[in-house]
Amino acid sequence: MNFLRTFSLRGILALLLLSGILSAKAQTSGVPVQPGYYNMQLGDFRIVALSDGALPLNMHTLLHEAKKGEVNTLLQQNYLDTIVETSITAYLILNGDQQILVDAGSGSFLGPTLGKLQSRLAAVGVRAEDIDAVLLTHLHVDHVGGLVNEGKVVFPNATLYISKPEADFWLTASNKATANKRAQPFFDLAQTTIQPYQQAGKVKTFAPGAQLLPGISAVPAVGHTPGHSFFVLESKGQKMVFWGDVIHAGAIQFADPAVTVDFDVDLAGAAAARKQTFEDAVKQGYWIAAPHLSFPGIGHLRHVGKEYQWIPANYAEIFAGK
Ligand SMILES: [Zn+2]
């Protein structure tokens, strides 16, 4: 298993480096340590954003379908260079009885700038064995890698919730051969991380749109992956939608939602889902939690002309805790 883990880490890092998407900077160590967590209250629920770290990504090789010069112009307008440190965030939902994670970070699979979820959980006083459920937006390694360590389950008491089409796609080994080349690198790691939970009888698949837990339902948002799901949390008239990977490059894709990323299994489907998602978020005005926007990735969306503008949550030291 150790061999498998090492092989997979080397394999996926090599692939990302080879494709130029991941900057070699990702292999340096000694990055400054940030606190890495952020609390807010939503009705009866406490939401804690937990940073798994950040991955330096090359926006030129990551992005598809951009107009000529568009990426450089937007990066400049946002005071960013070509290599953008891209947050990877998991979210903890607490309601007094249950401790629920939305996604699980990268674990040991994507190098030393990531895999910080466990230390962030410890920093907020939550043990891995306290987690009752992990809701998985999809089965890419930056969302499932933290489920295992050395091939063993990290969250022994947690049930994993995965949409049925997502589980069927990634966990059927024979699909790898027929999948497109953007999807192929992710199959082995999806299986490596989910199988220990399957063997323990701890995986529940759900139909798209299902009610999962009190106050929490799933919404299909297919494109990035075949069973990609949002999770919707509602309490006391407040609503937060956990987006998963509908956006990776905030500086570019809020201005031009037609721009896609290399990790999208279905490029056109992902772009269509993004446009629809943005319109819905503006219209309804709910809270958004987005794992690849700058940490904590919590905020609202509005229209400015034809483009969208991200309004990050106001930083608050005091909130209506229970
Ligand atoms: Zn992701």
Side-chain angles (χ1 to χ4, degrees):
M1 216 50 184
N2 194 34
F3 166 77
L4 224 185
R5 188 185 64 79
T6 309
F7 174 79
S8 299
L9 166 61
R10 287 204 186 123
I12 203 148
L13 275 178
L15 196 125
L16 288 169
L17 281 166
L18 207 67
S19 62
I21 290 169
L22 176 62
S23 159
K25 271 189 192 168
Q27 292 184 105
T28 60
S29 57
V31 290
V33 175
Q34 305 283 18
Y37 57 87
Y38 179 80
N39 286 273
M40 66 169 279
Q41 194 76 15
L42 190 104
D44 288 333
F45 292 87
R46 177 83 55 86
I47 313 295
V48 190
L50 300 165
S51 172
D52 191 51
L55 192 60
L57 294 175
N58 182 325
M59 290 296 125
H60 285 292
T61 44
L62 173 73
L63 299 170
H64 293 257
E65 322 288 336
K67 299 177 198 92
K68 197 170 186 299
E70 183 181 31
V71 171
N72 276 341
T73 303
L74 289 169
L75 287 173
Q76 273 171 20
Q77 283 174 7
N78 285 271
Y79 297 92
L80 292 168
D81 293 325
T82 299
I83 308 295
V84 177
E85 282 209 44
T86 303
S87 291
I88 294 183
T89 305
Y91 297 93
L92 183 63
I93 302 172
L94 307 170
N95 71 354
D97 313 318
Q98 285 215 301
Q99 321 209 54
I100 300 154
L101 263 181
V102 178
D103 292 329
S106 316
S108 59
F109 295 104
L110 289 178
T113 64
L114 292 164
K116 299 169 195 258
L117 177 63
Q118 284 306 320
S119 64
R120 268 67 203 254
L121 274 171
V124 299
V126 174
R127 301 172 308 164
E129 50 267 45
D130 297 333
I131 301 295
D132 300 294
V134 185
L135 314 181
L136 295 167
T137 57
H138 62 299
L139 301 189
H140 275 163
V141 63
D142 54 315
H143 302 257
V144 298
L147 291 171
V148 296
N149 187 17
E150 305 284 334
K152 296 207 173 65
V153 302
V154 166
F155 303 106
N157 299 314
T159 299
L160 309 187
Y161 288 78
I162 308 169
S163 86
K164 180 134 188 350
E166 187 72 2
D168 288 349
F169 182 70
W170 297 108
L171 304 180
T172 306
S174 57
N175 283 345
K176 183 178 174 182
T178 52
N180 65 46
K181 68 172 179 12
R182 294 186 311 279
Q184 279 176 351
F186 295 97
F187 277 87
D188 294 351
L189 288 175
Q191 290 158 26
T192 299
T193 52
I194 303 300
Q195 269 164 3
Y197 291 84
Q198 285 179 310
Q199 282 156 11
K202 291 288 208 174
V203 175
K204 267 192 188 169
T205 55
F206 60 82
Q211 181 77 31
L212 302 181
L213 294 162
I216 303 177
S217 57
V219 172
V222 173
H224 181 62
T225 61
H228 185 269
S229 298
F230 296 158
F231 299 109
V232 179
L233 176 65
E234 288 179 277
S235 180
K236 294 194 166 159
Q238 292 199 302
K239 178 170 173 176
M240 176 177 274
V241 180
F242 296 85
W243 262 1
D245 281 15
V246 80
I247 183 161
H248 295 76
I252 314 295
Q253 291 171 299
F254 283 132
D256 186 354
V259 174
T260 57
V261 297
D262 200 66
F263 307 132
D264 292 331
V265 174
D266 171 4
L267 297 169
R274 182 163 36 261
K275 286 176 199 166
Q276 192 189 342
T277 299
F278 286 2
E279 278 304 303
D280 189 60
V282 169
K283 211 175 291 168
Q284 291 202 44
Y286 44 64
W287 282 104
I288 295 154
H292 298 315
L293 294 181
S294 273
F295 185 79
I298 292 176
H300 290 89
L301 202 62
R302 61 184 288 225
H303 261 305
V304 176
K306 283 184 180 165
E307 298 184 2
Y308 297 88
Q309 185 180 25
W310 175 248
I311 317 292
N314 181 51
Y315 179 78
E317 289 278 343
I318 299 166
F319 51 90
K322 292 203 163 194

